[in-house]
């Protein structure tokens, strides 16, 4: 794989099953690389909380853990990417989630003379994903993920990253049925996208089952960027 030249213009995909830690790693990489974080799930949740037509359309699919139809999803994400300044790098999280989306992304970038530089695939076993998702809480304000206290079992109350202590909530689609369906959908529709990128030689697989810090180190290594610690 070729080395990354200019981190600030890096075009990256964070790939992996729900609960793999894409959001957590995105927060860390965003600070380090100074690139935009584009999460399709966050874009949908933003529409939901603003009560837009797109949000209303997406709601049922999201709560069941199904993919929102491509006709809606592709336009929403590509709009965001194609309106960015030319040299600005980005990190996609949650998109593409099927091969049709991957091809649409490739075509849209090719039209601008651009392409994806690297796909980071964070691998975690299903039983660990189920455990994580059922303990997951999120800041409503900045989307930072939290877990239940491992000793007391208490849910966190306030976000320590937000100045006014953002409100913490549990997602509607982190229920056992929706989680099981999201994993089924991941294996059936999303995992095949890996072959698409493996063929172009830009795929890097990293293990996502250790600590946040060590996964971050593996991610930076896979990008050819040494960690500063
Ligand atoms: P997860 O924790 O499952 O990765 P996300 O926050 O990425 O959750 O997405 C939440 C939901 O939003 C998905 O279950 C799906 O309904 C919808 N969604 C997000 N990204 C996409 C996409 N690229 N294509 C279709 N639906 C999507
Ligand atoms: Zn917060």
């Amino acid at each position: 794989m070729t080395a990354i030249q200019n981190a600030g213009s890096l075009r990256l995909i964070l790939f992996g099953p729900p609960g793999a830690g894409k959001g957590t790693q995105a927060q860390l990489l965003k600070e380090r690389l100074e690139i935009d974080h584009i999460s399709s799930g966050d874009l949908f949740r933003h529409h939901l909380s603003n009560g837009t037509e797109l949000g209303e359309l997406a709601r049922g699919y999201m709560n069941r853990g199904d993919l929102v139809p491509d006709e809606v999803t592709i336009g929403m994400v590509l709009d965001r990417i194609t309106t960015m300044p030319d040299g600005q790098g980005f990190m996609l999280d949650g998109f593409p989630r099927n091969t049709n989306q991957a091809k649409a992304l490739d075509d849209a970038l090719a039209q601008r003379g651009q392409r994806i530089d690297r796909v980071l695939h964070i691998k975690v076993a299903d039983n660990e994903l189920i455990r994580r998702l059922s303990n997951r809480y999120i800041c409503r304000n900045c989307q930072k993920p939290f877990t239940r206290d491992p000793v007391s079992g208490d849910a966190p109350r306030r976000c320590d990253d937000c100045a006014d202590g953002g409100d913490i909530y549990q997602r509607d689609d982190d229920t056992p049925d929706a989680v099981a369906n999201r994993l089924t959908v991941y294996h059936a529709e999303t995992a095949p996208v890996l072959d698409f990128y493996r063929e172009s030689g830009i795929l890097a697989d990293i293990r996502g089952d250790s600590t946040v810090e060590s996964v971050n180190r593996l991610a930076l290594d896979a990008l050819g960027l040494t960690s500063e610690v």
Side-chain angles (χ1 to χ4, degrees):
M1 254 181 276
T2 49
I4 301 298
Q5 298 295 335
N6 185 354
S9 60
L10 187 66
R11 287 183 281 269
L12 184 68
I13 294 175
L14 286 178
F15 199 95
K22 301 186 295 290
T24 304
Q25 294 303 323
Q27 303 259 351
L28 295 173
L29 289 173
K30 186 178 160 177
E31 284 166 27
R32 173 69 203 268
L33 301 174
E34 298 181 355
I35 58 181
D36 288 356
H37 175 208
I38 304 173
S39 156
S40 48
D42 287 351
L43 290 175
F44 279 129
R45 280 183 287 277
H46 192 73
H47 278 282
L48 266 183
S49 59
N50 286 322
T52 70
E53 206 177 313
L54 196 155
E56 286 311 313
L57 197 152
R59 185 192 304 277
Y61 296 97
M62 293 179 74
N63 286 347
R64 287 190 299 275
D66 285 330
L67 297 188
V68 179
D70 286 350
E71 299 78 67
V72 176
T73 307
I74 291 175
M76 177 185 74
V77 177
L78 293 186
D79 267 2
R80 177 75 176 75
I81 292 176
T82 51
T83 51
M84 291 196 337
D86 230 8
Q88 175 62 42
F90 59 79
M91 172 171 35
L92 280 170
D93 160 3
F95 184 96
R97 240 176 170 92
N98 61 29
T99 43
N100 190 38
Q101 293 180 7
K103 287 183 182 134
L105 173 65
D106 246 31
D107 290 348
L109 290 176
Q111 277 180 19
R112 311 182 88 207
Q114 300 172 344
R115 59 184 176 75
I116 295 295
D117 297 305
R118 195 77 97 233
V119 179
L120 276 186
H121 171 209
I122 307 177
K123 288 166 64 156
V124 177
D126 279 10
N127 55 355
E128 170 67 6
L129 296 170
I130 291 168
R131 195 188 63 78
R132 288 183 186 182
L133 291 170
S134 57
N135 285 302
R136 178 165 80 168
Y137 294 82
I138 293 168
C139 170
R140 209 179 280 282
N141 186 33
C142 75
Q143 319 303 328
K144 179 176 170 175
F146 293 86
T147 58
R148 228 182 269 273
D149 186 296
V151 181
S152 67
D154 290 345
R157 290 171 178 279
R158 293 273 154 209
C159 176
D160 53 6
D161 259 16
C162 285
D164 53 353
D167 181 31
I168 307 257
Y169 79 112
Q170 192 163 30
R171 269 168 47 174
D172 289 342
D173 60 348
D174 281 345
T175 58
D177 281 354
V179 166
N181 189 40
R182 280 152 69 201
L183 290 176
T184 303
V185 170
Y186 177 79
H187 291 297
E189 298 189 45
T190 309
V193 176
L194 288 169
D195 294 331
F196 180 82
Y197 292 117
R198 207 180 299 278
E199 281 165 23
S200 37
I202 56 170
L203 181 67
D205 298 287
I206 61 175
R207 288 184 58 165
D209 53 4
S210 54
T211 62
V212 169
E213 293 73 24
S214 63
V215 176
N216 184 237
R217 218 166 297 131
L218 292 174
L220 291 171
D221 285 349
L223 295 172
L225 303 164
T226 43
S227 33
E228 267 157 10
V229 277

